[in-house]
């Protein structure tokens, strides 16, 4: 109940920040392949700095959900900086612009985010992460939380003994407790604090984020 009272306040603040970043359409970039390889055969970074190299000795992958392309852009930057593979969580039923309307209490996202038990189905092929030691896990903030499809993912994927580095994009909200909630739902994995990254994060921002979450 408290969450439903506070959420509009959080969103109101966020929407002020969002005012300058409209223009994207729902599912922009959602046609990318589910998995793409960054190689993982050499720890390199976009600027060649050691600080942006792979976060651990093993293979790493960036797993992300992005409805309008912002998180996807950040995911690609992290993958390039850490020589990680990429896997996109694509909803079985993609989100339309109407679905993403946070001003409509009856929009799909409003209804899903009001229901803690909602678990939207994933349409992309299931991902076996057993060969990876580090998973960067990215998502947009919706109503102060991770989209419910992220819960679908963490509850259906074996993340045991992996380091999970959560990251989000948003109109201004911090990552808050969203990653802690996902950690509880996963019930496994070694979760770093992670954090919010701007859609326009620079190579230095990305390198600093990777370094902080080693
Ligand atoms: C349904 C919905 C709810 C949102 N709620 C918040 C919020 O609570 N706080 C915030 O800062 N931004 C919020 N946003 C803005 C997104 O977090 C932001 O635009 C994000 O970068 C979008 O990422 P994407 O393009 O990868 O989907 C919301 C957006 C949508 C569609």
């Amino acid at each position: 109940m408290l969450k439903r009272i506070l959420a509009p306040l959080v969103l109101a603040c966020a929407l002020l920040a969002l005012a300058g970043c409209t223009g994207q359409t729902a599912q922009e970039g959602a046609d990318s392949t589910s998995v793409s390889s960054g190689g993982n055969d050499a720890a390199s970074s976009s600027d060649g700095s050691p600080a942006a190299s792979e976060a651990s000795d093993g293979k790493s992958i960036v797993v992300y959900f992005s409805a309008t392309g912002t998180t996807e852009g950040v995911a690609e930057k992290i993958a390039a900086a850490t020589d990680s593979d990429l896997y996109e969580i694509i909803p079985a039923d993609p989100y339309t612009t109407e679905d993403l309307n946070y001003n409509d209490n009856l929009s799909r996202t409003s209804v899903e985010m009001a229901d803690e038990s909602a678990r939207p189905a994933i349409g992309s092929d299931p991902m076996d992460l057993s060969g990876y030691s580090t998973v960067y896990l990215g998502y947009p903030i919706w109503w102060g939380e991770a989209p419910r499809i992220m819960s679908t993912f963490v509850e259906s994927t074996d993340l045991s003994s992996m380091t999970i580095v959560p990251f989000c994009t948003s109109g201004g909200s911090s990552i808050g407790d969203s990653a802690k909630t996902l950690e509880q739902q996963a019930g496994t994995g070694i979760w770093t604090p992670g954090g919010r990254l701007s859609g326009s994060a620079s190579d230095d921002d990305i390198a600093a984020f990777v370094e902080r979450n080693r």
Side-chain angles (χ1 to χ4, degrees):
M1 171 61 82
L2 185 61
K3 191 178 289 181
R4 295 300 297 162
I5 294 168
L6 290 177
L9 292 176
V10 171
L11 190 60
C13 295
L15 295 184
L16 285 175
L18 270 176
C21 55
T22 54
Q24 292 174 310
T25 57
Q27 283 306 106
E28 193 179 302
D31 56 346
S32 61
T33 51
S34 309
V35 187
S36 57
S37 174
N40 260 314
D41 46 12
S44 59
S45 67
S46 54
D47 65 359
S49 86
S53 64
E54 200 173 320
S56 76
D57 291 330
K59 287 170 66 181
S60 55
I61 186 167
V62 182
V63 175
Y64 69 95
F65 163 66
S66 180
T68 55
T70 306
T71 310
E72 178 170 67
V74 172
E76 287 170 348
K77 288 179 191 173
I78 294 175
T82 58
D83 194 33
S84 297
D85 291 340
L86 265 176
Y87 172 76
E88 181 180 8
I89 299 170
I90 300 175
D93 182 10
Y95 290 89
T96 64
T97 302
E98 292 72 32
D99 289 340
L100 298 171
N101 185 0
Y102 37 70
N103 292 313
D104 178 0
N105 286 342
L106 297 177
S107 75
R108 178 180 166 198
T109 49
S110 296
V111 171
E112 281 180 5
M113 297 311 292
D115 177 5
E116 286 183 15
S117 68
R119 293 293 181 271
I122 295 172
S124 33
D125 293 337
M127 187 62 195
D128 177 7
L129 296 177
S130 57
Y132 296 95
S133 61
T134 301
V135 179
Y136 295 90
L137 189 62
Y139 51 88
I141 293 291
W142 283 359
W143 292 96
E145 299 183 63
R148 301 289 180 223
I149 198 166
M150 297 307 296
S151 304
T152 309
F153 178 80
V154 299
E155 288 174 354
S156 62
T157 308
D158 183 3
L159 299 172
S160 51
S161 45
M162 286 163 210
T163 298
I164 317 297
V165 183
F167 68 96
C168 71
T169 68
S170 74
S173 297
S174 72
I175 198 164
D177 287 335
S178 64
K180 290 213 174 340
T181 300
L182 293 176
E183 179 178 359
Q184 283 163 6
Q185 291 167 343
T188 188
I190 303 144
W191 292 63
T192 72
R196 175 183 184 270
L197 283 161
S198 162
S200 57
S202 67
D203 288 350
D204 284 350
D205 295 334
I206 299 288
F209 174 82
V210 169
E211 188 60 32
R212 272 198 309 276
N213 287 279
R214 275 179 187 283

